[in-house]
Amino acid sequence: EYTSSKITIKVVDAVFEKIVINSPYTTIPVGQTMRLTATGFFYEGDVLKTIDITNDVDWNSANSEVLMATNIKGAYKANVAGSSAISISWKNLTDKLDFNITNDSISSLVLVASRGSMVLGSEQRINALAYYANGAAYDMSGQVSYNIMPASAASIRVDAKDSNIVWLTAKE
């Protein structure tokens, strides 16, 4: 003999407290493309939780001549020196972040890998870091060209979800 019970669960929309633009930089050089993200903050009971809302918010550049939106939500290219704010809005909430675009030049470009050797068929993430004359460093992994010598030794793959993540796969 089995006894069962019935429970009713009411599903409601989360009530968001605030939304925030996330950026590793607020000063960037002309020519750099930056990928911003947006985070929503809400309470589940007494616990503050977060969720990525990058693709849900409306993005806006105050000066699209300086910071121009790309075809990827939250991605902006620095076109000319100057300043601009990026703002987001969603569910009657807003956030804004100010950016300064400079004419700094790259003084060096460094490739970084976590391992110096790889097993056949293994994969590792690599980064191309651009160091600027002002001392700032920017990850340009998805914006540079790679030349593997010999070409049969490895392959390069750009991540399908984030164009700034690059993978190196050992082939021989």
Side-chain angles (χ1 to χ4, degrees):
E1 185 175 318
Y2 295 99
T3 304
S4 67
S5 60
K6 178 181 172 184
I7 62 170
T8 303
I9 299 173
K10 182 179 180 183
V11 178
V12 297
D13 285 336
V15 177
F16 285 83
E17 300 290 320
K18 69 178 180 176
I19 59 175
V20 175
I21 298 171
N22 307 298
S23 174
Y25 320 110
T26 55
T27 299
I28 62 171
V30 169
Q32 175 76 13
T33 299
M34 64 178 173
R35 180 82 190 265
L36 307 174
T37 60
T39 303
F41 292 81
F42 66 97
Y43 280 97
E44 190 173 279
D46 292 337
V47 179
L48 181 63
K49 300 224 174 178
T50 62
I51 188 170
D52 183 342
I53 56 172
T54 302
N55 293 320
D56 300 313
V57 300
D58 293 321
W59 292 89
N60 183 52
S61 173
N63 186 343
S64 58
E65 181 181 332
V66 174
L67 279 175
M68 182 178 74
T70 69
N71 61 348
I72 299 171
K73 279 206 167 203
Y76 288 86
K77 181 173 183 179
N79 287 327
V80 297
S83 60
S84 181
I86 300 293
S87 60
I88 57 173
S89 60
W90 188 61
K91 295 186 179 256
N92 295 319
L93 297 169
T94 61
D95 191 29
K96 179 182 88 157
L97 197 54
D98 295 318
F99 292 91
N100 182 34
I101 311 308
T102 65
N103 279 319
D104 288 331
S105 59
I106 296 175
S107 57
S108 65
L109 185 65
V110 177
L111 286 175
V112 179
S114 59
R115 300 184 310 270
S117 62
M118 297 175 63
V119 174
L120 180 65
S122 66
E123 187 173 67
Q124 73 171 309
R125 183 175 173 177
I126 58 173
N127 296 90
L129 301 178
Y131 289 89
Y132 286 79
N134 69 358
Y138 297 93
D139 187 344
M140 298 188 69
S141 301
Q143 301 173 49
V144 298
S145 297
Y146 298 88
N147 185 17
I148 298 172
M149 295 172 32
S152 60
S155 63
I156 294 288
R157 176 179 63 84
V158 177
D159 193 271
K161 293 182 181 177
D162 186 342
S163 63
N164 215 34
I165 296 177
V166 178
W167 298 97
L168 177 68
T169 304
K171 291 178 16 181
E172 67 173 41

Short mmCIF file of all heavy atoms in Angstrom, two decimals, residues 70-103:
data_model
loop_
_atom_site.label_atom_id
_atom_site.label_comp_id
_atom_site.label_asym_id
_atom_site.label_seq_id
_atom_site.Cartn_x
_atom_site.Cartn_y
_atom_site.Cartn_z
N THR A 70 29.25 46.38 -31.82
CA THR A 70 29.51 45.38 -32.84
C THR A 70 28.24 44.54 -33.00
O THR A 70 27.21 44.87 -32.40
CB THR A 70 30.69 44.47 -32.44
OG1 THR A 70 30.28 43.65 -31.34
CG2 THR A 70 31.93 45.27 -32.08
N ASN A 71 28.30 43.47 -33.75
CA ASN A 71 27.13 42.61 -33.92
C ASN A 71 26.95 41.63 -32.77
O ASN A 71 26.06 40.80 -32.79
CB ASN A 71 27.19 41.87 -35.26
CG ASN A 71 28.40 40.96 -35.36
OD1 ASN A 71 29.31 41.04 -34.55
ND2 ASN A 71 28.41 40.10 -36.36
N ILE A 72 27.80 41.71 -31.73
CA ILE A 72 27.69 40.86 -30.55
C ILE A 72 27.21 41.72 -29.39
O ILE A 72 27.78 42.78 -29.12
CB ILE A 72 29.06 40.23 -30.19
CG1 ILE A 72 29.54 39.35 -31.35
CG2 ILE A 72 28.97 39.43 -28.90
CD1 ILE A 72 30.97 38.87 -31.18
N LYS A 73 26.16 41.27 -28.70
CA LYS A 73 25.63 42.06 -27.59
C LYS A 73 26.70 42.29 -26.53
O LYS A 73 27.37 41.37 -26.11
CB LYS A 73 24.42 41.36 -26.95
CG LYS A 73 23.15 41.60 -27.71
CD LYS A 73 21.97 41.47 -26.78
CE LYS A 73 20.76 42.03 -27.46
NZ LYS A 73 19.74 42.43 -26.54
N GLY A 74 26.87 43.55 -26.14
CA GLY A 74 27.84 43.92 -25.12
C GLY A 74 29.25 44.14 -25.65
O GLY A 74 30.14 44.47 -24.88
N ALA A 75 29.47 43.98 -26.95
CA ALA A 75 30.81 44.19 -27.52
C ALA A 75 30.87 45.54 -28.23
O ALA A 75 29.98 45.87 -29.02
CB ALA A 75 31.17 43.07 -28.48
N TYR A 76 31.91 46.31 -27.92
CA TYR A 76 32.09 47.64 -28.49
C TYR A 76 33.51 47.81 -28.98
O TYR A 76 34.46 47.35 -28.35
CB TYR A 76 31.78 48.72 -27.44
CG TYR A 76 30.31 48.81 -27.14
CD1 TYR A 76 29.73 47.98 -26.19
CD2 TYR A 76 29.50 49.69 -27.84
CE1 TYR A 76 28.37 48.04 -25.93
CE2 TYR A 76 28.14 49.76 -27.58
CZ TYR A 76 27.58 48.93 -26.63
OH TYR A 76 26.24 48.99 -26.38
N LYS A 77 33.64 48.51 -30.10
CA LYS A 77 34.96 48.81 -30.66
C LYS A 77 35.27 50.27 -30.43
O LYS A 77 34.46 51.15 -30.69
CB LYS A 77 35.02 48.50 -32.15
CG LYS A 77 36.39 48.77 -32.72
CD LYS A 77 36.54 48.33 -34.13
CE LYS A 77 37.99 48.60 -34.55
NZ LYS A 77 38.24 48.18 -35.90
N ALA A 78 36.51 50.53 -29.94
CA ALA A 78 36.98 51.90 -29.72
C ALA A 78 37.48 52.45 -31.06
O ALA A 78 38.49 52.00 -31.57
CB ALA A 78 38.09 51.91 -28.68
N ASN A 79 36.74 53.38 -31.63
CA ASN A 79 37.06 53.90 -32.96
C ASN A 79 38.02 55.08 -32.94
O ASN A 79 38.93 55.15 -33.76
CB ASN A 79 35.79 54.33 -33.69
CG ASN A 79 34.99 53.15 -34.14
OD1 ASN A 79 35.53 52.12 -34.49
ND2 ASN A 79 33.68 53.28 -34.12
N VAL A 80 37.78 56.04 -32.07
CA VAL A 80 38.60 57.25 -31.99
C VAL A 80 38.80 57.61 -30.53
O VAL A 80 38.03 57.20 -29.66
CB VAL A 80 37.95 58.45 -32.75
CG1 VAL A 80 37.83 58.18 -34.23
CG2 VAL A 80 36.60 58.80 -32.16
N ALA A 81 39.85 58.40 -30.26
CA ALA A 81 40.10 58.85 -28.89
C ALA A 81 38.96 59.75 -28.43
O ALA A 81 38.38 60.50 -29.21
CB ALA A 81 41.43 59.59 -28.82
N GLY A 82 38.64 59.65 -27.17
CA GLY A 82 37.57 60.45 -26.58
C GLY A 82 36.97 59.72 -25.40
O GLY A 82 37.59 58.83 -24.82
N SER A 83 35.75 60.09 -25.07
CA SER A 83 35.07 59.41 -23.96
C SER A 83 33.63 59.11 -24.36
O SER A 83 33.05 59.78 -25.20
CB SER A 83 35.11 60.26 -22.69
OG SER A 83 34.47 61.49 -22.91
N SER A 84 33.11 58.09 -23.74
CA SER A 84 31.73 57.69 -23.98
C SER A 84 31.27 56.84 -22.80
O SER A 84 32.08 56.20 -22.13
CB SER A 84 31.61 56.88 -25.27
OG SER A 84 30.25 56.51 -25.49
N ALA A 85 29.99 56.86 -22.57
CA ALA A 85 29.40 56.00 -21.55
C ALA A 85 28.65 54.88 -22.27
O ALA A 85 28.08 55.08 -23.34
CB ALA A 85 28.44 56.78 -20.67
N ILE A 86 28.67 53.72 -21.68
CA ILE A 86 27.84 52.61 -22.12
C ILE A 86 26.78 52.42 -21.04
O ILE A 86 27.09 52.40 -19.85
CB ILE A 86 28.66 51.30 -22.28
CG1 ILE A 86 29.78 51.47 -23.29
CG2 ILE A 86 27.75 50.13 -22.63
CD1 ILE A 86 29.32 51.68 -24.71
N SER A 87 25.54 52.30 -21.47
CA SER A 87 24.46 52.10 -20.50
C SER A 87 23.66 50.86 -20.89
O SER A 87 23.65 50.44 -22.04
CB SER A 87 23.55 53.32 -20.44
OG SER A 87 22.97 53.57 -21.70
N ILE A 88 23.03 50.29 -19.87
CA ILE A 88 22.13 49.16 -20.09
C ILE A 88 20.81 49.45 -19.39
O ILE A 88 20.76 50.21 -18.42
CB ILE A 88 22.72 47.83 -19.57
CG1 ILE A 88 23.07 47.92 -18.08
CG2 ILE A 88 23.90 47.39 -20.40
CD1 ILE A 88 23.49 46.58 -17.45
N SER A 89 19.76 48.85 -19.91
CA SER A 89 18.46 48.96 -19.26
C SER A 89 17.72 47.63 -19.41
O SER A 89 17.87 46.93 -20.42
CB SER A 89 17.63 50.10 -19.86
OG SER A 89 17.42 49.89 -21.23
N TRP A 90 16.95 47.32 -18.38
CA TRP A 90 16.22 46.06 -18.35
C TRP A 90 15.28 46.06 -17.16
O TRP A 90 15.69 46.39 -16.03
CB TRP A 90 17.20 44.90 -18.26
CG TRP A 90 16.64 43.52 -18.41
CD1 TRP A 90 15.98 43.01 -19.48
CD2 TRP A 90 16.71 42.47 -17.45
NE1 TRP A 90 15.65 41.69 -19.25
CE2 TRP A 90 16.09 41.34 -18.02
CE3 TRP A 90 17.25 42.37 -16.17
CZ2 TRP A 90 15.97 40.14 -17.34
CZ3 TRP A 90 17.14 41.17 -15.50
CH2 TRP A 90 16.51 40.06 -16.09
N LYS A 91 14.04 45.72 -17.38
CA LYS A 91 13.04 45.61 -16.30
C LYS A 91 13.03 46.85 -15.40
O LYS A 91 13.05 46.76 -14.17
CB LYS A 91 13.28 44.36 -15.45
CG LYS A 91 13.09 43.06 -16.21
CD LYS A 91 13.21 41.87 -15.28
CE LYS A 91 13.00 40.59 -16.03
NZ LYS A 91 11.70 39.99 -15.83
N ASN A 92 13.03 48.02 -16.00
CA ASN A 92 13.01 49.30 -15.29
C ASN A 92 14.25 49.56 -14.45
O ASN A 92 14.23 50.41 -13.55
CB ASN A 92 11.75 49.44 -14.42
CG ASN A 92 10.50 49.48 -15.26
OD1 ASN A 92 10.47 50.13 -16.31
ND2 ASN A 92 9.47 48.79 -14.84
N LEU A 93 15.33 48.84 -14.70
CA LEU A 93 16.60 49.07 -14.01
C LEU A 93 17.63 49.53 -15.03
O LEU A 93 17.55 49.20 -16.22
CB LEU A 93 17.08 47.78 -13.34
CG LEU A 93 16.18 47.22 -12.24
CD1 LEU A 93 16.64 45.82 -11.86
CD2 LEU A 93 16.17 48.13 -11.03
N THR A 94 18.61 50.31 -14.58
CA THR A 94 19.65 50.81 -15.48
C THR A 94 21.01 50.79 -14.78
O THR A 94 21.10 50.74 -13.56
CB THR A 94 19.36 52.27 -15.92
OG1 THR A 94 19.35 53.11 -14.75
CG2 THR A 94 18.06 52.40 -16.67
N ASP A 95 22.05 50.82 -15.60
CA ASP A 95 23.41 51.02 -15.12
C ASP A 95 24.18 51.73 -16.22
O ASP A 95 23.80 51.66 -17.40
CB ASP A 95 24.09 49.70 -14.75
CG ASP A 95 25.41 49.91 -13.99
OD1 ASP A 95 25.53 50.93 -13.27
OD2 ASP A 95 26.30 49.07 -14.12
N LYS A 96 25.25 52.41 -15.84
CA LYS A 96 26.07 53.15 -16.79
C LYS A 96 27.52 53.06 -16.36
O LYS A 96 27.83 53.07 -15.17
CB LYS A 96 25.62 54.62 -16.81
CG LYS A 96 26.41 55.50 -17.75
CD LYS A 96 25.95 56.95 -17.67
CE LYS A 96 26.74 57.61 -16.59
NZ LYS A 96 26.86 59.03 -16.65
N LEU A 97 28.42 52.97 -17.35
CA LEU A 97 29.84 52.92 -17.08
C LEU A 97 30.54 53.84 -18.07
O LEU A 97 30.28 53.78 -19.27
CB LEU A 97 30.34 51.48 -17.23
CG LEU A 97 31.68 51.11 -16.64
CD1 LEU A 97 31.80 51.46 -15.16
CD2 LEU A 97 31.95 49.62 -16.83
N ASP A 98 31.41 54.71 -17.57
CA ASP A 98 32.14 55.67 -18.40
C ASP A 98 33.46 55.08 -18.87
O ASP A 98 34.16 54.42 -18.09
CB ASP A 98 32.41 56.96 -17.63
CG ASP A 98 31.13 57.70 -17.28
OD1 ASP A 98 30.24 57.78 -18.15
OD2 ASP A 98 31.01 58.20 -16.14
N PHE A 99 33.81 55.36 -20.13
CA PHE A 99 35.05 54.86 -20.73
C PHE A 99 35.86 56.00 -21.31
O PHE A 99 35.30 56.96 -21.84
CB PHE A 99 34.74 53.83 -21.84
CG PHE A 99 34.15 52.56 -21.31
CD1 PHE A 99 32.78 52.43 -21.20
CD2 PHE A 99 34.96 51.52 -20.90
CE1 PHE A 99 32.22 51.27 -20.70
CE2 PHE A 99 34.42 50.36 -20.39
CZ PHE A 99 33.05 50.23 -20.30
N ASN A 100 37.17 55.86 -21.22
CA ASN A 100 38.11 56.79 -21.82
C ASN A 100 38.88 56.04 -22.90
O ASN A 100 39.50 55.02 -22.61
CB ASN A 100 39.06 57.34 -20.74
CG ASN A 100 40.01 58.36 -21.29
OD1 ASN A 100 39.68 59.12 -22.19
ND2 ASN A 100 41.22 58.38 -20.76
N ILE A 101 38.85 56.56 -24.12
CA ILE A 101 39.53 55.92 -25.24
C ILE A 101 40.78 56.74 -25.55
O ILE A 101 40.71 57.95 -25.76
CB ILE A 101 38.62 55.85 -26.50
CG1 ILE A 101 37.24 55.29 -26.14
CG2 ILE A 101 39.30 55.04 -27.59
CD1 ILE A 101 37.23 54.00 -25.38
N THR A 102 41.95 56.06 -25.58
CA THR A 102 43.22 56.76 -25.76
C THR A 102 43.90 56.35 -27.07
O THR A 102 43.55 55.35 -27.68
CB THR A 102 44.18 56.45 -24.61
OG1 THR A 102 44.51 55.05 -24.66
CG2 THR A 102 43.56 56.78 -23.25
N ASN A 103 44.88 57.13 -27.46
CA ASN A 103 45.68 56.85 -28.66
C ASN A 103 46.97 56.12 -28.32
O ASN A 103 47.94 56.21 -29.08
CB ASN A 103 46.02 58.15 -29.39
CG ASN A 103 44.87 58.63 -30.25
OD1 ASN A 103 44.21 57.84 -30.90
ND2 ASN A 103 44.62 59.93 -30.23
#
